[in-house]
Amino acid sequence: LPICYNVINAAGTAGTPGPGCAQNPKYNNTFVQNLAGKTLPNAPKVKVNLGGQYDLMLPSYGFNGFIAGSTRYQSRTQFSLNQDPNTIQGAYAITNVSFGVKDKQDRYKVTFLVNNLFDKRYYASSYNELWVAPGAERQVTLAATYKF
């Protein structure tokens, strides 16, 4: 997709529009890039979150267990408004899992978590092909909470 740009003359008084430009009467006939029907930046067509938790009742103990998991999927994403083909990220999914125990009086909870279980490499955002923010790598956490 050609990008709209202007080539300014040596005096800086006039410009010649590049191949991706079209005059638009809505904007005083200035040359703008026609993005009709193109992908919006940072807007995947499909984004799905699926998660759940199973509680394990342990009648002979003073605590119960739990197992939880979630998966987040998104289709390919175009990061750049000007439709730069170098700023497209393919579809990906991130899976998180956790398990732990919680006492029956709800005073304490111990949880073991793994975020990004399969250590999927992805970008959380991008401005152009040189400026990208990587997504979180696999994180393993042991958390404990106690209510007074």
Side-chain angles (χ1 to χ4, degrees), residues 4-8 15-18 21 31:
C4 182
Y5 58 88
N6 280 327
V7 177
I8 305 297
T16 304
C21 299
F31 288 92

Side-chain angles (χ1 to χ4, degrees), residues 29-72:
N29 283 325
T30 56
F31 288 92
V32 296
Q33 186 171 2
N34 183 1
L35 298 175
K38 303 299 181 203
T39 304
L40 289 173
N42 296 309
K45 286 185 180 181
V46 177
K47 197 167 190 177
V48 178
N49 292 299
L50 178 65
Q53 178 171 314
Y54 180 74
D55 293 319
L56 302 163
M57 301 305 160
L58 305 170
S60 34
Y61 294 97
F63 57 86
N64 292 320
F66 62 90
I67 300 170
S70 66
T71 296
R72 171 177 98 239

Side-chain angles (χ1 to χ4, degrees), residues 1-146:
L1 175 72
I3 296 172
C4 182
Y5 58 88
N6 280 327
V7 177
I8 305 297
N9 65 14
T13 58
T16 304
C21 299
Q23 275 187 314
N24 190 326
K26 188 175 182 179
Y27 299 106
N28 199 24
N29 283 325
T30 56
F31 288 92
V32 296
Q33 186 171 2
N34 183 1
L35 298 175
K38 303 299 181 203
T39 304
L40 289 173
N42 296 309
K45 286 185 180 181
V46 177
K47 197 167 190 177
V48 178
N49 292 299
L50 178 65
Q53 178 171 314
Y54 180 74
D55 293 319
L56 302 163
M57 301 305 160
L58 305 170
S60 34
Y61 294 97
F63 57 86
N64 292 320
F66 62 90
I67 300 170
S70 66
T71 296
R72 171 177 98 239
Y73 167 83
Q74 73 176 43
S75 59
R76 84 179 187 97
T77 305
Q78 168 58 269
F79 287 118
S80 176
L81 178 61
N82 70 9
Q83 307 295 300
D84 182 347
N86 294 317
T87 60
I88 295 174
Q89 173 172 254
Y92 68 92
I94 302 296
T95 300
N96 304 320
V97 295
S98 65
F99 62 89
V101 294
K102 179 169 76 169
D103 79 313
K104 293 180 181 179
Q105 288 74 41
D106 200 28
R107 289 176 301 181
Y108 68 85
K109 180 179 181 180
V110 177
T111 308
F112 180 78
L113 306 108
V114 181
N115 291 329
N116 196 356
L117 178 66
F118 303 111
D119 203 19
K120 177 68 180 169
R121 306 287 179 182
Y122 67 99
Y123 297 111
S125 64
S126 174
Y127 176 70
N128 61 39
E129 63 186 285
L130 300 175
W131 185 96
V132 294
E137 296 178 350
R138 179 185 302 133
Q139 297 173 343
V140 178
T141 307
L142 180 63
T145 57
Y146 183 82

